[in-house]
C-alpha cells in the first residue's frame, strides 16, 4: 500500500455480532444489507471471519470461503484482504459467551475517507474516536428523566 | 483453528482481548432492565439526537 493510498484510507472499524446457541435466524437479510452498503460505496469490506465458541471456551474460526453456500456474499469474499491475524481472532473471541457463534466484520468507512484526508492535510491528527453503544444513550436519557422526575 | 496460513504468525491489529460491549459502561446495566421494548427505546434515542429539539443540559 503506497503512502498516497494510505492517506486516502478511510477509518477502519470492526464489530463482532454474537448469536447465542439456538437464537440465530439467518434469512439472508444481513447479507443483503451488507451488500447494499458496499454497492452504495458507503463501506469496503476488508475481512470477515466466523467464530464459534463451545461450552468449554474452545474457539473455532472459519474463513468466509469455508462457511458453505455464500450466495450473494461470494463476490465479497473475493475482495477480502485478510487483515486479521490469528492473535486478533483470539482477542475478539474473548468477548464471546460459551455456546455461541459470532461474525467478525472489518470494514473501511469509505464515506469518511474524504473528510479524514482533508483533516490530515489540514494538519489534524486523530487523538480519540469510538462508538457510543445505543444502550448507553438510552441509559443516559433514562437517568436524566429519572432525575427530572425527582425534582417534580 | 482452520485459518489461512497468511493469518498465522503475523502481528495483530486489535492489540488486546476485547470486552463485551454491554460490560463497558455501568450505565448499560440500567438500560437493559425491563422497560419499554427496544424498538420504542430506539425511537426515544432517535428523537433525542434529532436537531432542533430542546438540548439536554451538559454537565461537565
Amino acid at each position: 500500500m503506497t503512502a498516497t493510498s494510505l492517506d486516502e484510507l478511510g477509518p477502519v472499524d470492526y464489530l463482532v455480532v454474537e448469536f447465542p446457541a439456538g437464537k440465530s435466524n439467518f434469512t439472508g437479510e444481513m447479507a443483503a444489507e451488507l451488500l447494499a452498503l458496499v454497492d452504495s460505496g458507503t463501506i469496503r469490506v476488508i475481512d470477515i471471519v466466523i467464530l464459534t465458541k463451545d461450552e468449554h471456551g474452545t474457539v473455532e474460526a472459519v474463513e468466509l470461503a469455508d462457511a458453505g453456500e455464500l450466495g450473494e456474499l461470494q463476490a465479497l469474499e473475493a475482495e477480502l484482504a485478510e487483515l486479521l491475524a490469528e492473535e486478533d481472532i483470539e482477542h475478539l473471541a474473548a468477548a464471546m459467551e460459551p455456546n455461541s457463534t459470532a461474525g467478525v466484520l472489518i470494514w473501511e468507512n469509505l464515506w469518511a475517507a474524504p473528510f479524514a484526508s482533508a483533516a490530515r492535510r489540514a494538519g489534524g491528527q486523530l487523538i480519540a474516536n469510538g462508538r457510543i453503544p445505543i444502550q448507553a444513550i438510552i441509559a443516559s436519557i433514562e437517568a436524566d428523566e429519572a432525575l427530572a422526575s425527582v425534582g417534580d | 483453528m482452520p485459518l489461512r496460513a497468511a493469518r498465522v504468525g503475523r502481528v495483530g491489529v486489535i492489540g488486546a482481548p476485547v470486552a463485551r460491549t454491554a460490560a463497558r459502561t455501568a450505565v448499560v446495566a440500567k438500560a437493559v432492565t425491563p422497560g419499554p421494548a427496544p424498538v420504542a427505546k430506539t425511537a426515544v434515542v432517535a428523537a433525542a439526537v434529532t436537531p432542533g429539539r430542546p438540548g439536554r443540559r451538559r454537565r461537565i
Side-chain angles (χ1 to χ4, degrees), chain A residues 76-149:
Chain A
L76 208 60
E77 196 279 329
E79 301 294 324
L80 297 184
E82 297 177 0
L83 176 69
L84 292 175
E86 186 178 32
E87 70 172 33
D88 292 321
I89 291 166
E90 291 168 2
H91 290 331
L92 294 168
M96 295 173 65
E97 294 284 359
N99 285 319
S100 66
T101 300
V104 179
L105 178 67
I106 313 286
W107 74 93
E108 177 192 359
N109 292 285
L110 295 176
W111 57 270
F115 175 74
S117 293
R120 285 192 286 270
R121 286 193 294 272
Q125 54 184 354
L126 184 67
I127 60 167
N129 73 332
R131 176 170 293 114
I132 300 173
I134 199 85
Q135 296 96 328
I137 300 175
I138 292 168
S140 174
I141 292 169
E142 289 182 347
D144 264 8
E145 289 172 351
L147 201 61
S149 65

Side-chain angles (χ1 to χ4, degrees), chain A residues 18 47 59-61 63 65 77 82-89 91 95 97 135 137-142 144, chain B residues 1-4 6-8 10-18 20-21 27-28 30-31 41 44-45 48 56 59:
Chain A
E18 181 183 82
D47 208 350
V59 175
E60 289 283 339
E63 302 282 358
E77 196 279 329
E82 297 177 0
L83 176 69
L84 292 175
E86 186 178 32
E87 70 172 33
D88 292 321
I89 291 166
H91 290 331
E97 294 284 359
Q135 296 96 328
I137 300 175
I138 292 168
S140 174
I141 292 169
E142 289 182 347
D144 264 8
Chain B
M1 290 190 287
L3 292 169
R4 287 187 179 143
R7 299 189 191 274
V8 181
R10 279 174 29 211
V11 175
V13 294
I14 302 297
V18 173
R20 293 176 71 82
T21 297
V27 290
V28 170
K30 185 178 188 325
K41 288 187 174 183
V44 169
V45 172
R56 300 165 65 213
R59 295 181 292 273

